[in-house]
Amino acid sequence: MACLLASSSSTGTAMFPRQNKPRSWVSFLFLGIYLTSLPVFAKPDSLKDVTDGNWEEILAGEWMIEFYAPWCPACQQLQPVWKEFADWGEDMGVNIAKVDVTEQPGLSGRFIITSLPTIYHCKDGVFRKYQGARSKDDFLSFVDEQKWTAVEPVSSWFGPSSFLMNSMSALFKLSMFIRRCHNYMTEQLGIPVWGSYVIFGLATLFSGLALGLLLVFIADFVFPSRRFSAPNYYQKKQTEQARLIQQQDEDHEADGEEDDDEEEEEEDGDQDDVWRRRRGSPEGRPEPKGQGYSDEALRKRVIGSREEDEEDT
């Protein structure tokens, strides 16, 4: 009986083999599908983007910042090197960042970017412009050996957080806004180029007039004139005007009296001249030239001529 059971068990095992091996493959298959369905946590990008909204983050810590433009050939050549350098940034404790000046015109004006690519080193808000070679080893040695200490920092007057650079940033943003409006009007609305210029000219004119009028109102409100703010200003003004009018009338009358006196003097002088000419000779004729008589001598001569006339009569 035991032999029969043993033989039957052995034959049953032979007739129905175990299915362990196929089940293991199925398990591995399901495990692979499960793992692939899990979310992939990739390594974060070590190269950071700086924008107008988060640029103040670079004022803390140590940073290396590249200013570039997508259309710049030199910037395109530098991108692979800059990405390799960024992979070393976390190990060295340095933040590696980039700025697209075509998308961030405010930062372009804030840092006065005149050439591309431009690289800045920043340590706790102190900026220095990188002027060395542009290879990964040069970047690493510049940071690791602290070669940036030999570079003169940017003046605080021209720092990105100064009032002057804030104004430059606003100016660059305004210029980019005007450019986009110009492109929209010429490309989307179909307005000719000269029409866009006319619109911007009129807008500039009216905005300048409005701004000037606003400044006048503000100045008059903050610093009012003392003479207009005086309570008796208008009374004083009327009194002063009346006094000026009276003075003008007096001057006019005085001028008239002087003219009358001058006319009388001229008439008296004419009469004297006539009398002198008439008494110049006994016959009442003018005195011949060359005879210079004084007034006393003339009187004596006239009296003598009269006495002679009386004796003849």
Side-chain angles (χ1 to χ4, degrees), residues 72-83:
C72 173
C75 301
Q76 296 173 1
Q77 295 177 0
L78 182 62
Q79 290 308 308
V81 178
W82 195 252
K83 289 181 179 179

Side-chain angles (χ1 to χ4, degrees), residues 135-241:
S135 64
K136 184 185 72 174
D137 295 335
D138 293 320
F139 293 146
L140 293 173
S141 62
F142 182 79
V143 175
D144 188 35
E145 299 176 9
Q146 296 186 356
K147 293 182 179 180
W148 48 267
T149 56
V151 180
E152 184 179 0
V154 177
S155 174
S156 59
W157 288 95
F158 298 98
S161 58
S162 63
F163 174 77
L164 180 61
M165 293 299 101
N166 285 326
S167 302
M168 289 294 296
S169 176
L171 182 61
F172 272 64
K173 289 180 181 179
L174 178 61
S175 64
M176 183 59 67
F177 174 75
I178 293 175
R179 182 177 179 181
R180 290 175 179 173
C181 292
H182 173 74
N183 294 334
Y184 176 77
M185 288 188 293
T186 55
E187 296 175 2
Q188 300 295 329
L189 301 180
I191 298 176
V193 177
W194 63 267
S196 176
Y197 291 157
V198 170
I199 293 173
F200 281 115
L202 293 176
T204 303
L205 178 62
F206 286 111
S207 61
L209 292 175
L211 182 60
L213 187 62
L214 179 62
L215 292 177
V216 169
F217 286 155
I218 293 174
D220 188 63
F221 178 77
V222 176
F223 304 102
S225 178
R226 294 183 178 179
R227 62 176 185 176
F228 290 109
S229 61
N232 55 350
Y233 166 73
Y234 294 101
Q235 296 179 359
K236 290 182 178 179
K237 187 175 181 180
Q238 293 177 356
T239 305
E240 184 177 358
Q241 289 178 352

Side-chain angles (χ1 to χ4, degrees), residues 22-42:
R23 290 179 179 176
S24 63
W25 282 106
V26 173
S27 301
F28 281 121
L29 180 61
F30 281 107
L31 180 61
I33 294 173
Y34 174 76
L35 292 176
T36 55
S37 63
L38 291 175
V40 178
F41 297 97

